[in-house]
């Protein structure tokens, strides 16, 4: 970089870019990672082009402080810097908050090649306190730094150190720069059907072209989308270029890793929140140097600094969990397409139930489409029937309708497996006192406490507040008067255990499957026939393939249709099509029963007829008339504070000063549906604009003129997915 000045984006979202002096003998360029002094502290920063990152704090050369050092890792590339700028601009986020997602924990930037981790030896110390016992039980065969083991075990660092002294935990030297095994594109080349081969050839041609091209890979569940895009990955590997595969959930990685290993002979590099710091460091450095050829990960893997990217795949691209709801409110599907554009590489969006936004991009010619119309091999699509709960109600106090009970009887008699789907964790969504009617509400949120009977707790699913289930009502002190209202998966599992006492039942939710290891254990038990009935939430709709699972029962298909969510119908349709897609994936035919109070509703009618195109057309038309996405634009503004009057006052100020812009309406402020969340009072405003309007500029100008106290938070969510 010419001259002795450097513009540095420091990793502090409250500060803009700052200028520093580059001392003699130090070489930096745009993208270099540097250590910059700020007051008495040292901060990580990225050197940036001054013309692309204006600074409000320009000072003369004589007042500049020296940079303290350059970190020995490859600089962030120009396409990566453009992506950071675009994401910050589009989602109205501080550039430093976006850049931080591209940088690992500081440990990945240090030069040490080995690190000391700890694991249990199997030796039980003579002095076994309850804390020590808890630590050893929870750590099991896991390994990690003292801090990581303490977090897993929920004890202090001192307890772990005491166990090291007592010989119950031993140090292990881990080499953190050892290279990852390289996947072999010719390890187990599959035999594809003609349709699959044609689709694979299209995607491979895109990889060879080295050009940006987004493609929707649209195929029913079980049609072999994964095998098809694996051929595109094989093409990128043969060129020595990197592939990124994004998955919506950490629990999904396990079945994916197994399929990947069977095809390429080794696991890909995984990136998710469950990694130990030594694993993160090793993965980050291998990705930044280009050694890691295939990375599979959750949303955050999108911002890693790939040295030589050749392909991006977004699997289950319709999934709403690709939208980040905290920090930078980005949508990984849309940012993946932009990353492909800046890097000049193809992007594959794979889905059996593509989002209407994605279909519209195909319609107007921005995205290509590759279709896989049928299931692979002998597998057929399942038959789908609706059960009208008004005409065929379950017995009193029960939730499974008689026709579904009979179908499960027959399925179990044939030695096949059944899945009961209900997208509600816990035992019951509401607990009240039958004596005085008291309802248990979270003290921090406008939400009911959900009973989790397995762990004997009431829990808030929004802030995580838990309390033991009380013996008596806190209001009228009546004992044994608490009653559970409505079903959660635990309650359905209890009912199943009563109806089929011989059956082996498993509950699959984020409470029971919180890590890839737990997901692997579930998959192994299903494949070994150790489970007869699965009771699960949406987690079980994701990418699993069980040939002996032939029956799916949806307990409450109407559940997703309530609330003010503009995508409620689409989401319900996608979710139930995905869960239906788990049935009959092998040679045996599958059957799906949908319990609903309104079988004539358009969503239910479309599900039963299997006419996805008609549903999509009707839903698209309704959105077009309402000017809703993708034909119009939404932005949410959420004002929150622990002080209700302060939140209300600033929300009113934001509402009062809303600009009068042609083609843009501002609704609100109004108390949010979740009027209190994690102890903060919340107000929402909704901005609705026509497609062509630069809504970000309008909001930037509008909020930029306002001031609010530090105790009030104002968050903008562009293209919101959550309306609570």
């Amino acid at each position: 970089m010419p001259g002795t000045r450097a513009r540095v984006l420091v990793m502090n979202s409250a500060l803009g870019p700052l200028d520093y002096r580059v001392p003699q003998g130090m070489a930096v360029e745009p993208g270099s990672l540097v250590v910059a002094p700020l007051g008495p502290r040292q901060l990580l920063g990225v050197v940036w082009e001054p013309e692309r990152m204006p600074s409000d704090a320009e000072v003369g050369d004589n007042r500049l402080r020296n940079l303290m050092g350059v970190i020995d890792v490859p600089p962030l590339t120009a396409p990566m810097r453009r992506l950071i700028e675009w994401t910050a601009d589009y989602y109205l986020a501080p550039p430093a908050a976006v850049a931080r997602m591209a940088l690992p924990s500081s440990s990945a930037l240090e030069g040490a090649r080995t690190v000391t981790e700890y694991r249990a030896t199997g030796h039980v110390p003579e002095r076994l306190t309850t804390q020590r016992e808890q630590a050893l039980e929870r750590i099991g065969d896991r390994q990690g730094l003292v801090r990581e083991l303490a977090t897993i075990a929920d004890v202090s660092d001192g307890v772990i150190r005491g166990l090291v002294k007592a010989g119950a935990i031993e140090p292990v030297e881990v080499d953190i720069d050892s290279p990852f095994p390289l996947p072999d594109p010719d390890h187990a080349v599959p035999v594809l059907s003609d349709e699959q081969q044609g689709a694979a050839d299209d995607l491979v041609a895109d990889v060879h072209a080295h050009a940006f091209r987004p493609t929707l890979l649209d195929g029913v569940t079980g049609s072999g989308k994964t095998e098809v895009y694996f051929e595109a990955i094989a093409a990128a590997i043969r060129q020595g270029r990197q592939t990124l595969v994004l998955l919506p959930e950490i629990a999904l990685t396990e079945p994916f890793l197994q399929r990947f290993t069977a095809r390429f002979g080794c696991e890909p590099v995984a990136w998710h929140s469950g990694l130990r710091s030594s694993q993160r460091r090793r993965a980050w450095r291998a990705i930044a140097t280009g050694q890691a050829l295939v990375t599979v990960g959750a949303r955050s893997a999108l911002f890693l600094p790939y040295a030589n990217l050749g392909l991006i795949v977004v699997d289950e691209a319709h999934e709403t969990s690709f939208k980040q709801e905290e920090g930078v409110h980005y949508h990984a599907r849309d940012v993946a397409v932009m990353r492909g554009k800046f890097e000049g590489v193809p992007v594959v969006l794979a889905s059996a139930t593509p989002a209407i936004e994605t279909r519209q991009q195909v319609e107007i010619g921005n995205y290509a489409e590759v279709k896989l119309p049928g299931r692979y091999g002998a597998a057929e699509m399942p038959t789908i029937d609706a059960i009208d709960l008004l005409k065929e109600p379950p017995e009193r106090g029960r939730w499974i309708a008689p026709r579904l009970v009979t179908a499960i009887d027959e399925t179990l008699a044939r030695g096949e497996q059944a899945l009961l789907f209900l997208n509600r964790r816990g035992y019951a969504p509401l607990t009240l006192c039958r004596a005085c009617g008291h309802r248990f509400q979270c003290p921090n949120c406008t939400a009911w406490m959900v009973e989790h009977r397995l762990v004997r707790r009431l829990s808030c699913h929004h802030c995580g507040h838990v309390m033991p289930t009380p013996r008596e009502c806190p209001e009228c002190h009546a004992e044994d008067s608490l009653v559970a209202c409505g079903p959660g998966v635990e309650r359905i599992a209890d009912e199943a255990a009563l109806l089929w006492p011989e059956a082996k039942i498993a509950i699959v939710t984020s409470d029971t499957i919180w890590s890839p290891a737990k997901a692997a254990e579930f998959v192994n038990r299903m494949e070994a026939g150790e489970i007869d009935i699965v009771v699960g939430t949406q987690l079980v709709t994701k990418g699993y393939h069980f040939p002996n699972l032939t029956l799916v029962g949806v307990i409450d298909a109407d559940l997703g249709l309530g609330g003010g969510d503009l995508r409620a119908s689409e989401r319900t349709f996608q979710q139930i099509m995905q869960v239906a897609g788990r049935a009959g994936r092998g040679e045996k035919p599958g059957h799906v029963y949908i319990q609903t109070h309104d079988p004539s509703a358009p969503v239910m009618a479309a599900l039963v007829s299997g006419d996805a195109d008609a549903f999509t057309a009707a839903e698209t038309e309704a959105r077009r008339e309402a000017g809703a996405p993708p034909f119009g634009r939404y932005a949410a503004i959420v004002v929150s504070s622990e002080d209700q009057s302060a939140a209300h006052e600033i929300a009113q100020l934001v509402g009062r000063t809303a600009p009068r812009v042609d083609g843009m309406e501002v609704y609100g402020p109004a108390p949010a549906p979740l009027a209190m969340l994690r102890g903060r009072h919340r107000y929402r405003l909704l901005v609705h604009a026509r497609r062509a309007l630069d809504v970000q500029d309008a909001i930037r100008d509008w909020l930029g003129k306002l001031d609010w106290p530090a105790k009030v938070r104002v968050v903008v969510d562009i293209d919101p997915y959550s309306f609570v």
Side-chain angles (χ1 to χ4, degrees):
M1 182 172 269
T4 55
R5 285 177 85 101
R7 177 73 39 91
V8 177
L9 182 62
V10 290
M11 293 301 103
N12 180 330
S13 302
L15 296 170
L18 301 172
D19 286 351
Y20 287 90
R21 181 185 292 113
V22 182
Q24 234 174 341
M26 183 187 287
V28 300
E29 59 181 294
S32 292
L33 301 192
V34 293
V35 179
L38 188 74
R41 293 178 302 150
Q42 299 179 8
L43 289 182
L44 188 59
V46 186
V47 176
W48 221 271
E49 300 94 325
E51 66 278 10
R52 301 197 71 99
M53 195 67 74
S55 171
D56 301 335
E58 290 214 33
V59 294
D61 286 0
N62 58 338
R63 292 181 51 205
L64 294 180
R65 294 182 69 181
N66 278 351
L67 285 175
M68 302 176 77
V70 185
I71 292 161
D72 180 22
V73 291
L76 294 187
T77 60
M80 186 72 213
R81 298 197 299 280
R82 300 302 77 88
L83 182 78
I84 290 168
E85 291 163 3
W86 180 86
T87 306
D89 183 63
Y90 186 87
Y91 291 104
L92 298 179
V98 183
R100 192 183 292 112
M101 297 193 289
L103 304 181
S105 56
S106 52
S107 69
L109 303 173
E110 291 156 8
R113 298 185 65 84
T114 61
V115 68
T116 304
E117 292 188 336
Y118 293 86
R119 65 180 177 207
T121 58
H123 166 72
V124 179
E126 288 168 22
R127 232 185 95 249
L128 196 61
T129 62
T130 52
Q131 291 265 299
R132 283 181 165 192
E133 191 172 8
Q134 176 179 318
L136 290 173
E137 183 191 331
R138 292 201 183 173
I139 289 164
D141 54 6
R142 288 193 268 194
Q143 182 172 312
L145 304 173
V146 168
R147 181 82 290 263
E148 289 168 341
L149 294 185
T151 306
I152 289 165
D154 200 12
V155 296
S156 69
D157 293 10
V159 174
I160 303 294
R161 292 210 170 87
L163 285 166
V164 174
K165 275 195 188 130
I169 288 180
E170 64 182 359
V172 204
E173 199 79 347
V174 180
D175 179 359
I176 36 187
D177 277 347
S178 57
F180 285 94
L182 294 177
D184 174 5
D186 304 310
H187 174 73
V189 179
V191 178
L192 300 178
S193 68
D194 290 349
E195 283 169 344
Q196 289 175 331
Q197 192 61 56
D201 291 345
D202 283 356
L203 300 185
V204 167
D206 285 350
V207 171
H208 288 154
H210 290 216
F212 169 58
R213 181 173 145 104
T215 300
L216 168 62
L217 176 58
D218 179 2
V220 297
T221 53
S223 59
K225 292 184 292 297
T226 310
E227 284 69 26
V228 166
Y229 72 65
F230 272 0
E231 294 315 293
I233 293 175
I237 295 169
R238 289 188 184 105
Q239 296 179 350
R241 301 177 81 205
Q242 294 172 292
T243 298
L244 161 64
V245 182
L246 286 180
L247 296 175
E249 306 263 357
I250 178 177
L252 259 188
T253 52
E254 197 50 43
F256 178 87
L257 296 181
Q258 289 182 357
R259 291 172 80 173
F260 187 92
T261 306
R263 169 66 182 86
F264 294 107
C266 69
E267 287 202 349
V269 176
W271 184 272
H272 51 72
S273 56
L275 296 180
R276 313 195 302 265
S277 78
S278 60
Q279 292 171 314
R280 286 179 97 73
R281 177 193 190 284
R282 181 182 173 213
W284 191 88
R285 289 180 84 95
I287 287 163
T289 57
Q291 194 269 320
L293 283 181
V294 183
T295 303
V296 57
R299 304 183 281 259
S300 57
L302 182 56
F303 286 93
L304 294 171
Y306 302 93
N308 185 15
L309 201 54
L311 172 68
I312 299 172
V313 178
V314 184
D315 204 353
E316 309 286 353
H318 60 278
E319 268 293 330
T320 50
S321 52
F322 277 127
K323 171 78 178 185
Q324 171 119 328
E325 296 291 357
E326 281 168 2
V328 181
H329 288 245
Y330 69 96
H331 196 303
R333 176 196 66 213
D334 300 344
V335 180
V337 171
M338 290 310 295
R339 176 133 204 202
K341 185 175 182 180
F342 290 126
E343 300 271 1
V345 302
V347 181
V348 176
L349 306 176
S351 174
T353 52
I356 285 172
E357 286 87 342
T358 306
R359 285 212 185 279
Q360 182 60 16
Q361 292 290 352
V362 171
E363 205 58 34
I364 59 181
N366 287 346
Y367 293 3
E369 182 176 28
V370 172
K371 265 183 140 60
L372 286 172
R375 279 198 161 179
Y376 181 65
E380 293 289 323
M381 290 304 288
T383 50
I384 300 180
D385 286 322
I387 295 176
D388 185 340
L389 291 173
L390 299 177
K391 291 183 181 159
E392 303 179 58
E395 288 175 32
R396 192 174 165 76
R398 295 274 173 90
W399 308 96
I400 306 174
R403 188 155 34 126
L404 181 51
V405 172
T406 307
I408 295 173
D409 286 338
E410 292 165 0
T411 302
L412 297 179
R414 289 194 302 269
E416 294 165 7
Q417 294 164 313
L419 161 64
L420 294 173
F421 170 75
L422 175 66
N423 206 21
R424 201 189 257 143
R425 286 157 48 210
Y427 183 83
L430 171 63
T431 300
L432 50 78
C433 168
R434 69 162 71 85
C436 73
H438 171 74
R439 294 176 169 208
F440 285 83
Q441 189 173 339
C442 173
N444 311 315
C445 307
T446 321
W448 306 119
M449 296 290 280
V450 178
E451 182 184 0
H452 285 248
R453 199 159 280 191
L454 293 176
V455 288
R456 293 195 290 282
R457 281 188 190 148
L458 296 177
S459 163
C460 171
H461 287 177
H462 298 285
C463 72
H465 176 78
V466 291
M467 57 188 272
T469 308
R471 298 273 312 273
E472 59 172 39
C473 169
E475 206 56 30
C476 70
H477 303 294
E479 286 205 16
D480 297 326
S481 65
L482 305 186
V483 58
C485 299
V489 284
E490 291 177 15
R491 191 169 198 169
I492 300 301
D494 274 6
E495 184 176 333
L498 282 172
L499 287 165
W500 300 282
E502 305 296 308
K504 298 183 282 290
I505 297 169
I507 297 176
V508 176
T509 73
S510 54
D511 297 319
T512 60
I513 293 196
W514 63 82
S515 70
K518 285 278 177 194
E521 185 190 326
F522 163 62
V523 170
N524 293 339
R525 288 178 60 211
M526 275 298 280
E527 288 175 347
E530 290 171 20
I531 297 171
D532 301 311
I533 301 174
V534 181
V535 184
T537 60
Q538 59 158 357
L539 201 64
V540 85
T541 66
K542 311 284 172 63
Y544 291 115
H545 176 83
F546 302 124
N548 202 34
L549 177 66
T550 57
L551 180 76
V552 170
V554 180
I555 299 297
D556 183 357
D558 313 321
L559 182 61
L561 291 172
D565 179 358
L566 94 113
R567 297 180 181 85
S569 293
E570 181 189 21
R571 205 177 284 189
T572 300
F573 182 78
Q574 288 169 335
Q575 219 166 51
I576 295 175
M577 279 307 277
Q578 290 285 337
V579 79
R582 298 311 113 206
R585 291 176 71 100
E587 313 238 326
K588 302 169 184 173
H591 209 112
V592 180
Y593 289 96
I594 299 172
Q595 298 191 163
T596 171
H597 289 93
D598 187 5
S600 61
V603 189
M604 301 307 155
L607 285 162
V608 172
S609 67
D611 194 345
D613 293 344
F615 172 74
T616 304
E619 187 69 10
T620 304
E621 201 42 51
R623 297 247 197 118
R624 196 192 305 270
E625 279 178 27
F631 306 102
R633 310 207 42 203
Y634 282 140
I637 300 174
V638 180
V639 180
S640 70
S641 174
E642 290 178 6
D643 175 343
Q644 184 170 7
S645 61
H648 182 257
E649 190 181 318
I650 298 305
Q652 292 294 338
L653 170 70
V654 173
R656 260 199 323 277
T657 55
R660 305 220 181 289
V661 177
D662 188 31
M664 180 173 118
E665 297 286 337
V666 179
Y667 303 102
L674 265 175
M676 193 173 176
L677 181 64
R678 301 187 184 99
R680 298 181 72 86
H681 298 272
R682 302 165 76 242
Y683 291 86
R684 286 183 74 99
L685 297 96
L686 184 68
V687 180
H688 182 196
R690 65 168 193 269
R691 186 85 219 154
L693 187 81
D694 188 339
V695 78
Q696 286 90 339
D697 255 11
I699 293 172
R700 211 178 271 118
D701 288 353
W702 165 21
L703 297 183
K705 295 180 182 132
L706 305 180
D707 281 317
W708 50 82
K711 64 181 174 182
V712 176
R713 210 180 285 152
V714 178
V715 173
V716 180
D717 184 358
I718 300 289
D719 307 336
Y721 269 62
S722 163
F723 290 84
V724 297

